[in-house]
Amino acid sequence: MAGTNEAGRRAAHLAAVWCVGGVLTAVQLQVVLIALFVGVAPARGGLLALGAVLGMGALAGVASAAHTIVPRVRRPRGRWTWTVSVYVSGTAGASAAAVVNFEINHLENALPLYAAGGSCYALAAALFLPGTRFKLGSLGAAAVPTEHSVTLSDSGGTWQVEVYSVGRAEAERLSAETGTAEKVERYLVRFWRAA
């Protein structure tokens, strides 16, 4: 029963981050659109900074509620580390989703963008949950259809890719015990031109 309770708290935490991320995506889209029409550079910068401060404030509220399931939040400065990391990662993902959304429907319907933006923030937050990094990476790799090759921008070709990992079990153990597992897991990424 404890495992089910823990899974429920994690799901609720990620759902809260998804909701905040969706609203944050909507607000940031409006801030960027307004900033594009403001002619004065300092005002434009002020608008963008205001959007970032409001976004991080909302995420900090979620972080303070997550101290029981996110070990990093319990450490000194951990709440702000989590907040800034989730904000930056989520905003980067939401920005990429906005570009894709613009390419597909020219922002005629932004609702899918808000849902996708919320998902980017939730995925960033999930990376801080103990024992979920590998599962999310696997899920993400499985969800992206590929032909075992990738196209690198400005390279003029298609490449084969292999990724190896060492130290996953130790990283999960340390993350669960101490809330951090920095410099434990190592990766080797190999790529070569596809035939």
Side-chain angles (χ1 to χ4, degrees), residues 56-130:
M56 284 193 277
L59 286 171
V62 175
S64 63
H67 70 278
T68 60
I69 58 171
V70 182
R72 181 174 292 272
V73 173
R74 290 182 235 138
R75 294 178 27 206
R77 295 183 307 274
R79 184 172 94 173
W80 291 106
T81 302
W82 182 92
T83 299
V84 170
S85 299
V86 170
Y87 177 79
V88 169
S89 301
T91 300
S95 299
V99 169
V100 170
N101 189 38
F102 182 75
E103 291 293 322
I104 293 172
N105 68 13
H106 304 289
L107 293 178
E108 291 175 10
N109 182 5
L111 291 178
L113 171 61
Y114 304 154
S119 297
C120 294
Y121 287 95
L123 283 172
L127 294 174
F128 286 92
L129 295 174

